[in-house]
Amino acid sequence: MKFKLVSKDQKSKARAGEIQTDHGTIQTPIFMPVGTAGSVKAVHQRELTYDVKAQIILGNTYHLYLRPGLEVLEKAGGLHKFIGWSSPILTDSGGYQVFSLEGNRKINEEGVVFRSHIDGSKHHFTPESVMDIQRTIGADIIMAFDECTPYPCEWSYAKNSMHLTHRWLKRCIERFDSTSGKYGYSQSLFPIVQGSTFKDLRQDAARFVSDQDREGNAIGGLSVGEPAEMMYEMTDLVTDILPEEKPRYLMGVGTPANILESIALGIDMFDCVMPTRNARNGMLFTTEGIINIRNERWKMDFSPIDSGFHSHVSNFYSKAYLRHLTISKEMLAAQIASIHNLSFYLWLVTQARERIQAGDFTSWKNAMVEKVSRRL
């Protein structure tokens, strides 16, 4: 994997770049639709390519390991071939999912023992096994196995957790570097900066991760319930330390405003379930603000969902029709709304890239944050 800085904003830490992988080039800043179990919910791969214009999607190790399982994925030739996706894929290590199984998992130095949310069967993840699993899944970018601390938590807990994550990272690197990909293309390992909302821990973690000299770096443990301003403060601290010449990935973020503010803080990559999850519940992100399509005010509104950008579904279908489908619980509602929201997110980061290159990102960002945050 190679990363090239193309342009930097003069009034913020925003940057435009290119990530080159064996499955194609990713222009940053970028948003990655979440395809947890090998599917971006309600969206075909063809729509992801031609309508959403996704350049990279995300899969999840925990879910793919349980279903369809490694045997199926390896027999298929990896996740790309299994799902029919020829562009890059990133896999989350499964750490967040495992650690959210409170009561059904046990953490120790070796790794984590947990019970499946599907059938209660017992499983064991270690840094080594998670590297092997992600090798088999076959993503272009794979994530180190870490512990995601809850919010809020005590400083002492966050410190011990961070050091455990660092010891696990060393084991991840050793296993990753002693193995190779299974499908004839290269894979890259990203470490994850933890440390909760404590400045000293975040700085220590960022320095430790930087010292590992991997091809890219991630920031985890944010957007887990802390105030947005605290998330921005931690992100700002970390991006001051992480090397400029490598891509920075802020995991699990977020709203359109979160993404714009984080781009200004030097983040290159994002993922979040929000555009698809909220779409299924009738919430639309648009160029003019946030719409709850269930509201009565849209019942007789026959204007396009959003004519502010070039998305087929956003310009073809009316608000009134989408409201009718949503109220009627028609499956097409989730499809239209999901494609619209994802298309909007990809449009937004593409606009940010263009504004960085044009030199007017900061003024545009400030206006857009206000616009995309208002409720219509």
Side-chain angles (χ1 to χ4, degrees):
M1 191 196 86
K2 294 179 181 176
F3 178 65
K4 179 175 71 173
L5 273 177
V6 175
S7 183
K8 293 197 290 185
D9 182 52
Q10 297 303 308
K11 296 181 180 178
S12 72
K13 292 195 281 185
R15 36 297 179 93
E18 286 182 356
I19 301 171
Q20 293 179 2
T21 75
D22 289 351
H23 281 103
T25 300
I26 305 156
Q27 295 188 322
T28 64
I30 193 64
F31 179 82
M32 302 179 282
V34 177
T36 303
S39 163
V40 177
K41 286 183 173 59
V43 185
H44 293 140
Q45 272 70 306
R46 179 180 173 81
E47 294 162 340
L48 282 172
T49 300
Y50 296 107
D51 297 339
V52 174
K53 302 190 188 320
Q55 299 176 43
I56 176 173
I57 61 173
L58 182 145
N60 183 264
T61 294
Y62 168 84
H63 290 282
L64 291 166
Y65 162 79
L66 292 175
R67 285 190 302 210
L70 301 183
E71 186 180 359
V72 171
L73 290 169
E74 190 159 16
K75 186 75 172 177
L79 185 60
H80 290 88
K81 289 186 177 178
F82 184 59
I83 69 173
W85 178 254
S86 59
S87 295
I89 296 176
L90 178 148
T91 41
D92 183 342
S93 72
Y96 179 82
Q97 284 70 28
V98 168
F99 296 114
S100 66
L101 295 169
E102 198 168 355
N104 283 319
R105 47 90 171 151
K106 186 175 181 180
I107 308 170
N108 56 36
E109 187 67 35
E110 182 59 22
V112 182
V113 176
F114 64 94
R115 291 194 177 274
S116 163
H117 72 287
I118 300 167
D119 58 10
S121 57
K122 198 173 182 180
H123 303 272
H124 188 201
F125 273 7
T126 67
E128 292 81 8
S129 71
V130 168
M131 293 300 96
D132 295 346
I133 292 166
Q134 289 185 88
R135 285 291 201 193
T136 299
I137 293 170
D140 300 86
I141 299 171
I142 75 176
M143 304 306 299
F145 192 52
D146 65 327
E147 182 185 3
C148 181
T149 51
Y151 175 82
C153 71
E154 297 291 328
W155 181 87
S156 57
Y157 180 96
K159 180 185 178 185
N160 290 335
S161 173
M162 179 192 76
H163 285 306
L164 178 64
T165 288
H166 292 171
R167 292 193 297 275
W168 283 357
L169 172 58
K170 284 291 194 181
R171 289 165 57 190
C172 285
I173 290 170
E174 187 175 341
R175 184 58 155 241
F176 181 83
D177 288 349
S178 65
T179 57
S180 57
K182 296 186 175 185
Y183 310 113
Y185 54 86
S186 62
Q187 295 174 292
S188 298
L189 171 64
F190 281 25
I192 302 172
V193 175
Q194 289 289 350
S196 187
T197 53
F198 301 101
K199 292 181 184 180
D200 58 335
L201 298 183
R202 282 286 172 183
Q203 290 170 321
D204 288 348
R207 284 189 283 266
F208 183 88
V209 160
S210 297
D211 288 344
Q212 307 314 305
D213 195 25
R214 306 312 296 187
E215 292 168 297
N217 299 299
I219 304 170
L222 294 175
S223 193
V224 291
E226 80 283 357
E229 290 308 317
M230 192 173 281
M231 175 176 73
Y232 300 146
E233 183 183 9
M234 295 301 112
T235 301
D236 196 21
L237 278 173
V238 170
T239 55
D240 273 348
I241 297 169
L242 291 180
E244 187 180 66
E245 71 277 6
K246 297 180 180 183
R248 304 164 182 154
Y249 164 31
L250 182 57
M251 304 177 76
V253 175
T255 66
N258 290 159
I259 288 173
L260 291 174
E261 295 291 5
S262 299
I263 289 172
L265 297 173
I267 297 296
D268 308 296
M269 304 168 69
F270 302 88
D271 80 284
C272 191
V273 297
M274 187 174 284
T276 45
R277 179 180 288 168
N278 288 20
R280 297 193 299 276
N281 293 313
M283 179 182 282
L284 306 180
F285 299 101
T286 78
T287 55
E288 296 300 320
I290 302 167
I291 290 175
N292 181 348
I293 201 65
R294 294 176 176 274
N295 287 351
E296 186 77 14
R297 67 172 291 186
W298 312 114
K299 185 174 182 177
M300 302 294 265
D301 188 331
F302 302 106
S303 65
I305 296 167
D306 189 353
S307 58
F309 70 111
H310 301 294
S311 160
H312 170 70
V313 299
S314 312
N315 286 274
F316 186 82
Y317 296 106
S318 71
K319 297 182 185 74
Y321 180 54
L322 182 53
R323 180 184 184 275
H324 156 69
L325 293 175
T326 304
I327 296 294
S328 303
K329 298 183 179 177
E330 286 288 337
M331 285 188 286
L332 184 58
Q335 292 178 276
I336 293 171
S338 296
I339 294 168
H340 162 77
N341 276 355
L342 287 173
S343 299
F344 171 73
Y345 268 60
L346 267 297
W347 171 84
L348 190 67
V349 294
T350 301
Q351 285 289 300
R353 177 186 173 84
E354 290 176 3
R355 297 292 181 160
I356 292 165
Q357 291 178 295
D360 61 352
F361 168 78
T362 299
S363 58
W364 171 83
K365 184 268 293 182
N366 291 339
M368 281 302 293
V369 164
E370 187 176 339
K371 191 181 278 192
V372 300
S373 300
R374 66 189 182 196
R375 298 269 177 166
L376 299 178

